[in-house]
Amino acid sequence: MKAHLIPLLEKTVATLQQQQQLPAELPVSINLERSKDKAHGDFACNIAMVLAKPAKMNPRQIATLIVEQLAEDDVLAKAEIAGPGFINLFLTEKAKLQVVNDVISQSGQYGLSKVGAGKKVQVEFVSANPTGPLHVGHGRGAAYGSVVSSLLKAVGFDVHREYYVNDAGRQMDILATSVWLRYLELLGESFTFPSNGYRGEYIRDIAAELQQKHGDSFLRKADAVFEGVPTDEPQGGDKEAHIDGLTQQAKQLLGAVDYRTVFDIGLNAILGDIRDDLAEFGAEYDEWFSERSLVESGVVDEAIETLKSADMLYQDNGAWWFRSTAFGDEKDRVVVRDNGQATYFASDIAYHLHKYQRGFDQIIDIWGADHHGYIPRVNAAVQALKQDADKLKVLLVQFAVLYRGTEKVGMSTRSGEFVTLRELREEVGNDAARFFYVLRSADQHMDFDLELAKSQSNDNPVYYVQYAHARVCSVFRQLAERGIDWDQKAGFASLELLSTDHEQALLTMLARYPEVLELAAINYTPHVLAHYLMDLARDFHTYYNAYQFISDDIALTQSRLTLIAAVRQVIANGLGLMGVSAPQTM
């Protein structure tokens, strides 16, 4: 109804300006809020109070002018002035009932809008280093990113979903070295595996695949591999220097071609697993963007040269530093090390430059909360590259911690002691995992209650919502068993019979759905939709327990069937945007 009332109020204010009862130059922006108390109408508008200062008029005086000027309308029954100048708007009964027709006739399209029409938005999410399987922490970012993308698309944005593949850099070198060392063990070499290598069982599996494909082609003696390498931390050395030394040995002893083969077999095995995992979880992507491609295509060099030309880089001790403090960062950042190797940050600068070059109207980065300190330097780089920093929005997702009973489960990808996203999905199912992940605001810490997610009870929010959908389906099955047809035409004709408080509450909830979608989309808050669905389910369950839907009163039966069919449709629409199923039986 907002879509009708806002233009009506705008037209009214414009008429008052033409009549010179209000100043011609006014910042007119209509904001409607649903009233919490039915006595105060269906909507409240504060436009009179907003206009009071610029118009230099009393807000009640402005409200009086607006209310008196409002034309008769099929949607608006009356308007009243309250308090210091609020305008309370009351809908006609016909308008309140219209939502049922809208839902049934528009079906899966109900609630969709064109708010973002003509705007291209890129959403980058998960982008976990392909150094191991996705764990339950990654799952929250996957669910959040995919639902945010779906919501933006639902309100008209042209959405491009992207995964940034970190297929270059130190962590990938450590992965390749870990695979090679496990491969050497399979071929009989004996040594102490580095404490800072990747130690998960999946590394042994990749090493076995390497041996199966290439035999002993990459065999080197352990003495040669460890010769001159700094001591590991357990022996009183430096674990970081130890693993970096082993990486250098791998590159030298294998040579560029063979090292790339080892590197790629690790990358492709894990990335393939990540792709499959996310696809099965319902997180879809339009593009998997390679960090390596930025280097090979020259975009990294382009970004560095652009910054040099703008005097945004300086050299110190052989390294090139970015002047990020000039844009509010706490310290300057290295983009090229003294050995000539570009840093991760250099690739990130290039990646964001490339995003802008692709012409997106809005760029959304969804990162884990541990990347909070990274935001100032990326914003600094965007400004230094003379790009519009307002187009970039970084959304942080707090950690999701899994509990088994009272025991907290660790999630370290180096040690391999973690619960994978796949294991979580297999235990609780995709529906529960996705719904639970987006049930809380992404910037809030989350404890994932495994036992609750598996329970078939009203305390389980996803079960509670899905059960409402299934209950409506059960009513229609009962209808068929009794040989009664649902007559939509008769249902629409008798909607005025929906007069109980429960029915009026459901009508209001159904009418709110498009507003909830828009709010959840433009604010990147899918939890708003999740809580709306829980509220709608609660109102339906209350209604279900209070009344018989199938009775001897044919007109009343048809009107109630039409109402609950609309409830079923909205629940299915909302769950669909969340990537959650709407079962017909439970």
Side-chain angles (χ1 to χ4, degrees):
M1 294 305 161
K2 275 188 176 182
H4 180 91
L5 293 175
I6 288 176
L8 181 65
L9 287 164
E10 289 173 339
K11 181 180 179 181
T12 301
V13 172
T15 299
L16 291 169
Q17 289 175 308
Q18 291 169 4
Q19 296 172 352
Q20 298 184 349
Q21 296 190 67
L22 287 176
E25 298 296 331
L26 282 178
V28 180
S29 177
I30 307 294
N31 180 44
L32 293 183
E33 297 291 340
R34 283 197 172 268
S35 302
K36 296 180 180 179
D37 186 342
K38 288 191 297 184
H40 298 155
D42 297 289
F43 290 95
C45 180
N46 67 347
I47 184 62
M49 300 168 72
V50 171
L51 296 179
K53 186 174 181 179
K56 298 180 181 179
M57 296 171 64
N58 182 285
R60 282 190 67 92
Q61 180 186 1
I62 297 175
T64 300
L65 289 172
I66 293 173
V67 168
E68 290 177 348
Q69 184 65 42
L70 275 170
E72 291 185 7
D73 188 84
D74 289 341
V75 170
L76 185 63
K78 65 177 179 176
E80 295 179 348
I81 303 169
F86 286 104
I87 300 174
N88 291 337
L89 304 170
F90 295 76
L91 299 177
T92 63
E93 289 305 311
K94 179 181 179 181
K96 292 178 183 179
L97 296 172
Q98 179 60 37
V99 66
V100 179
N101 300 64
D102 292 344
V103 174
I104 300 297
S105 62
Q106 295 172 30
S107 186
Q109 299 298 304
Y110 178 69
L112 306 188
S113 73
K114 298 295 182 183
V115 172
K119 296 180 181 178
K120 292 175 58 181
V121 57
Q122 185 225 36
V123 184
E124 181 217 332
F125 59 105
V126 183
S127 296
N129 285 346
T131 53
L134 297 178
H135 56 59
V136 296
H138 296 129
R140 191 177 190 191
Y144 178 70
S146 62
V147 179
V148 165
S149 299
S150 295
L151 288 170
L152 288 169
K153 186 175 181 181
V155 297
F157 288 91
D158 179 3
V159 180
H160 184 81
R161 302 169 175 89
E162 194 156 298
Y163 189 114
Y164 180 54
V165 181
N166 297 100
D167 52 4
R170 181 171 180 266
Q171 292 305 317
M172 294 305 300
D173 282 332
I174 295 174
L175 174 75
T177 301
S178 301
V179 169
W180 185 52
L181 292 174
R182 290 303 190 195
Y183 163 85
L184 295 180
E185 286 180 339
L186 288 175
L187 294 176
E189 294 299 308
S190 179
F191 50 84
T192 301
F193 195 84
S195 62
N196 216 21
Y198 286 97
R199 308 172 69 85
E201 193 62 31
Y202 63 95
I203 299 296
R204 297 181 188 274
D205 294 338
I206 299 170
E209 181 184 351
L210 181 65
Q211 182 190 21
Q212 182 180 11
K213 289 183 176 180
H214 299 278
D216 61 359
S217 300
F218 306 133
L219 175 62
R220 304 293 186 273
K221 292 297 181 182
D223 290 344
V225 174
F226 285 82
E227 183 179 359
V229 173
T231 307
D232 202 355
E233 185 179 52
Q235 289 79 45
D238 183 335
K239 64 180 181 180
E240 300 291 349
H242 182 68
I243 192 65
D244 286 343
L246 288 172
T247 294
Q248 290 304 314
Q249 289 289 82
K251 290 179 178 180
Q252 287 183 353
L253 293 172
L254 288 172
V257 174
D258 287 352
Y259 178 77
R260 180 68 174 257
T261 300
V262 175
F263 184 103
D264 283 349
I265 201 168
L267 166 67
N268 293 333
I270 294 175
L271 188 59
D273 183 72
I274 289 173
R275 284 177 183 265
D276 292 343
D277 209 5
L278 288 171
E280 291 168 6
F281 190 45
E284 300 176 351
Y285 291 89
D286 300 297
E287 185 170 0
W288 293 71
F289 192 96
S290 163
E291 177 188 357
R292 189 190 293 172
S293 72
L294 292 171
V295 178
E296 295 174 347
S297 65
V299 180
V300 173
D301 290 338
E302 178 190 349
I304 291 172
E305 289 306 314
T306 300
L307 293 175
K308 283 182 179 179
S309 298
D311 195 28
M312 287 291 108
L313 299 186
Y314 64 90
Q315 203 165 17
D316 185 32
N317 291 327
W320 284 94
W321 294 73
F322 170 54
R323 301 181 191 275
S324 52
T325 51
F327 301 92
D329 195 9
E330 62 183 6
K331 63 181 180 180
D332 291 343
R333 308 290 177 175
V334 177
V335 292
V336 182
R337 298 187 181 92
D338 56 6
N339 62 3
Q341 184 177 6
T343 62
Y344 274 127
F345 183 43
S347 293
D348 284 335
I349 293 173
Y351 182 41
H352 283 85
L353 174 62
H354 195 263
K355 290 185 182 190
Y356 279 94
Q357 291 174 338
R358 283 185 275 168
F360 294 111
D361 298 293
Q362 195 170 11
I363 296 167
I364 299 174
D365 291 347
I366 297 177
W367 297 344
D370 55 332
H371 286 73
H372 180 270
Y374 216 76
I375 298 175
R377 72 188 74 170
V378 171
N379 279 326
V382 167
Q383 294 175 65
L385 291 166
K386 301 190 183 309
Q387 302 297 326
D388 184 357
D390 291 337
K391 286 186 177 182
L392 175 64
K393 181 72 173 179
V394 179
L395 304 174
L396 296 178
V397 178
Q398 288 289 341
F399 299 108
V401 180
L402 179 66
Y403 281 85
R404 293 189 183 280
T406 59
E407 183 180 354
K408 181 179 176 181
V409 182
M411 292 178 289
S412 167
T413 51
R414 289 284 185 91
S415 68
E417 298 173 359
F418 56 85
V419 175
T420 66
L421 175 60
R422 183 172 284 119
E423 288 170 335
L424 176 70
R425 293 191 295 103
E426 289 173 350
E427 187 160 351
V428 306
N430 271 3
D431 287 347
R434 287 182 68 100
F435 199 95
F436 268 65
Y437 273 135
V438 299
L439 189 56
R440 294 175 67 91
S441 175
D443 58 6
Q444 292 182 351
H445 175 83
M446 177 189 182
D447 292 337
F448 196 109
D449 188 336
L450 196 61
E451 296 307 315
L452 179 61
K454 292 189 295 182
S455 69
Q456 293 188 353
S457 72
N458 289 342
D459 293 328
N460 180 349
V462 66
Y463 179 87
Y464 189 65
V465 175
Q466 289 178 318
Y467 186 41
H469 184 274
R471 263 185 156 177
V472 178
C473 293
S474 73
V475 172
F476 281 91
R477 284 195 298 274
Q478 293 172 34
L479 200 68
E481 290 168 2
R482 297 187 188 187
I484 304 173
D485 292 326
W486 170 37
D487 186 337
Q488 288 189 33
K489 187 176 180 180
F492 289 143
S494 56
L495 289 177
E496 71 277 358
L497 298 176
L498 301 175
S499 58
T500 70
D501 288 343
H502 295 90
E503 290 160 345
Q504 291 296 308
L506 282 172
L507 290 170
T508 300
M509 285 296 295
L510 294 176
R512 283 186 55 216
Y513 180 67
E515 302 161 24
V516 169
L517 279 196
E518 185 176 321
L519 181 67
I522 63 177
N523 291 325
Y524 320 116
T525 51
H527 69 279
V528 170
L529 174 58
H531 284 274
Y532 165 83
L533 292 173
M534 291 170 62
D535 290 342
L536 177 58
R538 178 203 62 217
D539 286 353
F540 169 76
H541 288 307
T542 303
Y543 183 44
Y544 181 94
N545 294 330
Y547 298 95
Q548 289 290 329
F549 298 146
I550 305 173
S551 68
D552 294 334
D553 188 330
I554 297 175
L556 183 61
T557 294
Q558 293 298 339
S559 66
R560 287 179 170 172
L561 290 173
T562 305
L563 174 61
I564 65 172
V567 170
R568 176 176 61 181
Q569 184 65 62
V570 169
I571 290 176
N573 290 0
L575 288 176
L577 288 173
M578 297 178 69
V580 176
S581 68
Q584 296 188 15
T585 59
M586 293 183 72

